[in-house]
Amino acid sequence: MTEELERILPLVQKPGRYTGGELNSVVKSAEDVDIRFAFCFPDVYEIGMSHLGMKILYYLINEREDSWCERFFAPDTDMEEQLRANKLPLFSIESKTSLCQYDVIGFTLQYELSFSTILNMLDLGGVPVLARDRHDLHNLVIAGGPCASNPEPLCDFIDVFQLGDGEEMMNDFLDLYNEYKKRGASKEEFLRAASQIEGIYVPSLYDVTYNADGTIAAVMPRDGAPAIVHKRNVKNLDAAYYPDRFIVPFIEIVHDRVTTEVFRGCIRGCRFCQAGFIYRPIREKSPDTINNQSEMLIKNTGYDEISLISLSTSDYTGIEPLLNDMIDWTRERKVNISLPSLRVDNFSDELVEKMKLIRKSGLTFAPEAGTQRLRDAINKNITEEEILNTARIAFRGGWTTVKLYFMLGLPTETWEDVEGIINLSRKIVTEYFRMDDKPRGQGLTINVSASSFVPKPHTPFQWEPQDSRDSLAKKRDYLLEQSRVPKSHIHLSAHKINTIFLEAVFARGDRRLGSVLYEAWKSGCNLDSWDDKFQFDLWEEAFHKCDIDPEWYANRRREYDEILPWDHLDYGITKEFLMRESEKAKKSQTTDHCRIKCAACGASALNGGECGAKC
C-alpha cells in the first residue's frame, strides 16, 4: 500500500491531505488492541480536521488501551480517480489500512448534503453500503452528530445512531462492543443489547408503517427496543473529557487554530435554530477550566490563535474574567484570541476594549431578519436600535469590515421583510459615514449573507414549509440587484437554492428517502456540499426513478397531530413547548431568553431538573 500510495500522491493536487504523520497523531500497533475504530468525516481533510467533535472523540477513544481510533476523510475527485483506477481502497491517515479492516466505522453527521459521501466512502473502502448486507459484528457502522436528530433517511445504511453528546456514551458503547466481540456474538445479539444503552438508537429494531396519504401511521419498536430513545447528555462540562492536545496538520485547514468550547447549549431560543434546541440545556465551563485547557492546547500544538467557541460566546457569563485571565499569557506569547458568535444585544464598549487587546479582524453579527416584526416572529429578541448601536460601537472601536447574516423565506415573511434586509444594511452604512470619529484610511465593507430558511426537526418551525424555489430566487435576485448600487459598500452572497431545497428534503425526510439516496449515489452524486460537484439533475432523476416527490417533504406544511419521522427520538424539548412557540411566532410574539424567565421547554430534566441558564 505504501509504495502504491507514493506513486499516486504526486498525481493529486493536495497530497498533504493523505500522508499523515502530523504532530500529535496517535499510532498504535494493531496487534495490541481489541477494537479498531475508523472515525470517518464525510468531507475533505481541511473541513474534517477543523471539527471539534472529531478531535474530542479521537483522543477519548485512543486513551483506551483496548482501542485504536484512526481518521478517514473523503478523498477529493482527483484522489478518488487514482484510487479507483489503481484498485486501491479508501485508507486511514494513520496506518494506511483499508476501511474494511475496521471493527467499528463511525461517521459524524454534520450536514444533510454529506449523506451521499457516506455511501461513497463505504464503497470506496470495500464495505457493503447497505446495512442488510453487513452480516457480522465486524464493520459495524455507527453515526452521530446534529443530523442524527432525524436519522431516518440513513436507516438503510447505518447500524447504530448515537443521539446526543458522544463523549458521554462512547465508552459505554465500546465496552459493550468489546464484550460481545470476545464472546463471538452475532450482530443481531449485539444490536439488541446496544439498544438498551441510553442514547443509542438501532433503526433496524423499529418498524414504520404509512397512511394512504403518505404520512406515518406508526413507529413500532420490537425485540425489547425502547419506544422512545432519549439523547445522552453531558451534565458537567468541567468534568467532561477534553483533550490536552490537537493534531497539527501539515497543510492549512479551514479553522487552523486551537478551539476551546466555553459552554454548550444556548439561552436564546431562536425558533429556526436547531442547534439552539438540540444542545439544550445550557452547561457552562468555569473560566479556570477554559483558561487551563486553552493554555495546555497552545503549549502542545504551537498554534498562535485560540477560538473560544459556543453558539453565542458573548452570552458566556464569565467572559470578562476569562479574558482578563487569558490576556496576560496570550499577549506574552503573542497568541490571538478570537470570539465568534457574538450577540448584537451584548456587544459592549467594555467587550470592544478587551477585543482590541486580543484581536482585530472582521466582526460577524446575525440580525437574521430585516424588520422588527419578523425578528419578533423568529424570537431573535433584538431591536433595530440595538443593531445600529452595535455597529456604532464596532466602528468606534476601529472595525471597518462587518458581516451580517440574514435569512430568506422565514415563516410569516412578507416582501416588506425582504426589502428590510437591504434597508437595514444601508442604515448601518449611513451610521458609519455620519460618525465624526470613524476609522480613517480604510474603506467600509458590509458583507451580507442571505441564506434560505430550512425547517429543521426539534424546532418550533419543524411543521413549517420551506419557501418555494421560485419565490426564493426572486427574493435573492432582488437583493443582489439592490446591493450592486454604486458605492453601496454592501457585498451580498446567497446560497444556491437547489442545495438548500435538497437540505430541506433530507432534514425532514423519512426512511423512504433511502432509496433516493442510494440511486443518486449510484448515478454519481458525491461531495454535494461543494458547488462544483453538486449535480442536481442526477438527484431529480433519482427522485423520479423512485417515484418520490421531493416537494412533498420540503414544501408541505405539517399538522400538529401528524406523526413526524423523528417523534420517537427525544432531545429533551417537549412537543408542547415547540407548539406553543410555533403559535407565538404566527402572532410575532417573543419569548424571554432563559436567563430572564424559564419557558419550561423540558430540557432541564436532562440535568436532573437543573439548567445552566440560571434564570
Side-chain angles (χ1 to χ4, degrees), residues 17 45 68 143 162 197 245 255 260 281 292 301 477 492 548 564 571:
R17 290 168 165 168
Y45 179 92
W68 183 13
Q162 295 187 347
I197 299 176
R245 65 197 63 233
H255 299 301
T260 308
N292 292 337
T301 62
D477 292 346
L492 187 128
I548 288 179
L564 302 174
Y571 272 73

Side-chain angles (χ1 to χ4, degrees), residues 175-210:
D175 286 344
L176 185 71
Y177 181 89
N178 204 16
E179 175 189 339
Y180 274 67
K181 178 186 176 183
K182 289 179 176 179
R183 188 190 300 176
S186 68
K187 177 180 178 179
E188 290 71 23
E189 289 174 314
F190 171 77
L191 291 178
R192 287 194 294 270
S195 71
Q196 302 306 307
I197 299 176
E198 186 179 28
I200 298 297
Y201 172 49
V202 180
S204 61
L205 299 182
Y206 295 79
D207 296 320
V208 182
T209 58
Y210 300 91

Side-chain angles (χ1 to χ4, degrees), residues 77-110:
T77 305
D78 56 352
M79 184 60 167
E80 180 177 350
E81 289 174 353
Q82 290 298 323
L83 292 176
R84 293 195 184 276
N86 290 277
K87 297 183 179 179
L88 295 174
L90 182 66
F91 55 86
S92 71
I93 299 297
E94 281 77 6
S95 68
K96 309 300 183 288
T97 303
S98 170
L99 184 63
C100 64
Q101 299 299 313
Y102 288 77
D103 297 295
V104 181
I105 300 169
F107 284 91
T108 180
L109 308 177
Q110 297 298 312

Side-chain angles (χ1 to χ4, degrees), residues 299-412:
K299 175 183 176 182
N300 290 332
T301 62
Y303 275 113
D304 60 1
E305 182 177 349
I306 304 167
S307 181
L308 302 178
I309 65 167
S310 71
L311 293 176
S312 180
T313 301
S314 53
D315 281 330
Y316 176 58
T317 56
I319 188 67
E320 292 200 16
L322 172 62
L323 292 179
N324 286 335
D325 290 342
M326 295 183 69
I327 282 173
D328 289 340
W329 67 266
T330 54
R331 291 179 70 184
E332 180 183 342
R333 301 183 197 178
K334 295 182 172 54
V335 173
N336 287 322
I337 305 173
S338 65
L339 301 176
S341 306
L342 297 174
R343 282 280 303 189
V344 164
D345 53 348
N346 55 18
F347 187 74
S348 62
D349 286 306
E350 293 77 16
L351 183 58
V352 165
E353 290 305 309
K354 291 285 192 305
M355 292 182 68
K356 287 166 71 174
L357 294 173
I358 58 179
R359 184 168 175 82
K360 178 68 70 71
S361 63
L363 290 175
T364 299
F365 299 102
E368 307 294 0
T371 65
Q372 194 60 48
R373 185 205 65 80
L374 189 53
R375 284 193 294 275
D376 290 345
I378 64 176
N379 205 43
K380 191 65 184 178
N381 273 322
I382 55 174
T383 65
E384 181 172 292
E385 180 51 37
E386 286 174 324
I387 296 169
L388 296 178
N389 185 56
T390 293
R392 288 191 288 268
I393 292 172
F395 296 148
R396 284 199 305 268
W399 277 270
T400 57
T401 298
V402 175
K403 186 166 188 177
L404 304 174
Y405 279 111
F406 292 95
M407 299 183 76
L408 290 172
L410 285 161
T412 79

